[in-house]
Amino acid sequence: MRQKLVILLTALLTLSLVAPVAAASSVSATPDETADCEYPIELTDATGEEITLEEAPDSVVALQASDAQTVFEIGAEDRLVGMPDEEATSGLEIGDREDVTDNYAIVHERVIDLEPDVVLAANITAEEDIETLREAGLTVYQFDDAGSIDDVRDNVLRTGELTGECDGATETVDWMDERLEVVEAALEDADRPLAYYAMGEDGTTAGTDTFIHEVLTTGGVENLAERADIGSYQQLSSETIVDEDPEWIIYSDDREDVPIPEAAEATTAYQNDNVFSVNANQLNQPAPQVIYAVVDIVETVHPDAYEQAVEGLEDTDESDDNGAEETDDTIPGFGVPAAVAALLAVAFLAHRR
């Protein structure tokens, strides 16, 4: 089975540290490189709850956007009966699935009425939501917090076990690893320019303890917040932004206006028009599509390294027996206009299982 991956043409964040096990053993550790769908299995979630799946589930509910995105990416969407219908899932086909949220709040009655075999709950899910659903007799698995792309890999494998789609989960992780390895090799000798991740006109940015920080650094830039010794989401002073003078300003495309302080207009980044957005649903969701956010940063900041990455992935994709999904001839933000370069970009971005 091959999943169609939607490449969003408007632009090019959970997770478990619990190991996959079989034959009803219970372990809390980092998952292996592959998922294990030999049932029954017992798994311990982030709350310490031990859940048992006697067999692969027929119906699954995803409470958060990252849960839903992962289910689609591994090819388990045929079991998905409920998910959020909101901007963060706009790239997914909700179809006749039940919308389990109302203005981002989980509607417990809708989830309970679906009587799913298992409920997937990203770490941002409130404790009271978890408790309410469990009191109603539902099996709820809450993932650990996602602080890294490695956590995303673990989450993908665990989701495979929770949905009975272990082959798809393993193949998705392989797809992620192949792209990241090529990007890492391409950036090995590249300079890493200073970048300011802008979240608001008050100077709010993402620090070193955030998922976004790793996306930025994996994409080949130095995060200004690290120089300022910011760990989580805090404000940078206008003086710091001007004094450090970043070469790039990056923000997510879910903002109507570029969310930067007026003082940032004096920076090299602003003066050279080195200001660009990254798809919010890829950057902010700890799910497989985060790879696209990484690639987008590499493509924009390191175009030469990006071309090398594309060429390296051509060799990787030649061994793939499946054909590439057809896409439009151009990809917004792609810096090389030549048709052959566009085709290489499509090869780089195609998610094939």
Side-chain angles (χ1 to χ4, degrees), residues 41-59:
I41 58 175
E42 287 184 4
L43 303 171
T44 304
D45 79 345
T47 68
E49 183 82 4
E50 292 187 3
I51 71 169
T52 301
L53 297 178
E54 298 293 340
E55 58 186 6
D58 293 323
S59 59

Side-chain angles (χ1 to χ4, degrees), residues 12 38 40 57 59 100 113 136 144 169 177 237 257 267 284 307 322-323:
L12 260 180
E38 184 178 347
S59 59
V100 297
D113 288 346
D144 281 337
D177 289 346
S237 68
D257 300 311
T267 64
N284 297 333
E307 290 187 43
N322 294 324

Side-chain angles (χ1 to χ4, degrees), residues 15-353:
L15 307 175
S16 178
L17 298 176
V18 189
V21 288
S25 62
S26 180
V27 181
S28 180
T30 302
D32 298 328
E33 293 299 310
T34 59
D36 185 352
C37 282
E38 184 178 347
Y39 298 91
I41 58 175
E42 287 184 4
L43 303 171
T44 304
D45 79 345
T47 68
E49 183 82 4
E50 292 187 3
I51 71 169
T52 301
L53 297 178
E54 298 293 340
E55 58 186 6
D58 293 323
S59 59
V60 177
V61 165
L63 295 183
Q64 306 294 344
S66 60
D67 301 319
Q69 188 186 116
T70 303
V71 169
F72 272 84
E73 291 302 308
I74 68 175
E77 66 271 23
D78 59 330
R79 277 138 279 185
L80 190 63
V81 296
M83 59 178 282
D85 184 8
E86 56 198 35
E87 182 60 31
T89 57
S90 59
L92 307 176
E93 295 183 8
I94 189 167
D96 59 359
R97 299 176 179 90
E98 181 71 26
D99 177 11
V100 297
T101 61
D102 183 6
N103 195 25
Y104 293 92
I106 296 170
V107 182
H108 304 135
E109 294 78 9
R110 297 180 189 174
V111 179
I112 294 168
D113 288 346
L114 289 170
E115 300 181 345
D117 295 327
V118 65
V119 177
L120 307 179
N123 193 264
I124 61 172
T125 307
E127 181 180 349
E128 52 266 31
D129 290 327
I130 302 291
E131 292 178 351
T132 298
L133 296 178
R134 284 177 174 164
E135 288 172 358
L138 298 184
T139 298
V140 183
Y141 185 96
Q142 184 171 30
F143 295 92
D144 281 337
D145 190 21
S148 69
I149 294 176
D150 278 345
D151 289 341
V152 175
R153 298 172 69 263
D154 294 348
N155 183 47
V156 170
L157 296 175
R158 177 60 72 239
T159 302
E161 294 170 341
L162 290 165
T163 61
E165 190 57 57
C166 287
D167 288 346
T170 300
E171 291 165 12
T172 298
V173 165
D174 289 343
W175 172 83
M176 294 174 62
D177 289 346
E178 288 167 0
R179 272 76 188 156
L180 289 173
E181 287 170 5
V182 173
V183 165
E184 181 180 1
L187 294 175
E188 184 175 3
D189 299 321
D191 293 332
R192 293 177 177 263
L194 186 65
Y196 164 40
Y197 178 69
M199 299 181 67
E201 295 182 0
D202 61 355
T204 300
T205 191
T208 56
D209 296 335
T210 67
F211 180 73
I212 291 175
H213 171 75
E214 178 160 351
V215 176
L216 295 171
T217 57
T218 304
V221 300
E222 179 187 355
N223 186 5
L224 173 56
E226 186 168 13
R227 285 196 185 182
D229 199 27
I230 289 177
S232 57
Y233 297 98
Q234 299 176 34
Q235 294 178 3
L236 283 166
S237 68
S238 295
E239 292 79 6
T240 297
I241 296 172
V242 173
D243 290 345
E244 293 295 344
D245 193 22
E247 298 178 56
W248 291 89
I249 296 175
I250 304 171
Y251 64 99
S252 63
D253 69 356
D254 55 349
R255 310 299 177 95
E256 292 185 4
D257 300 311
V258 181
I260 64 173
E262 184 176 349
E265 296 179 7
T267 64
T268 296
Y270 192 90
Q271 294 297 318
N272 291 342
D273 200 27
N274 288 344
V275 180
F276 72 98
S277 64
V278 179
N279 186 294
N281 290 345
Q282 298 167 358
L283 175 67
N284 297 333
Q285 300 299 330
Q289 286 192 21
V290 69
I291 300 302
Y292 291 150
V294 171
V295 171
D296 199 10
I297 296 171
V298 175
E299 172 206 351
T300 305
V301 178
H302 300 280
D304 292 339
Y306 175 78
E307 290 187 43
Q308 294 177 33
V310 170
E311 291 171 359
L313 276 171
E314 268 203 306
D315 297 334
T316 298
D317 288 338
E318 282 178 0
S319 63
D320 193 331
D321 292 334
N322 294 324
E325 293 294 334
E326 293 184 1
T327 65
D328 288 355
D329 290 338
T330 59
I331 298 174
F334 185 55
V336 182
V340 63
L343 290 173
L344 288 175
V346 171
F348 182 53
L349 294 176
H351 179 184
R352 294 183 283 174
R353 301 207 294 99

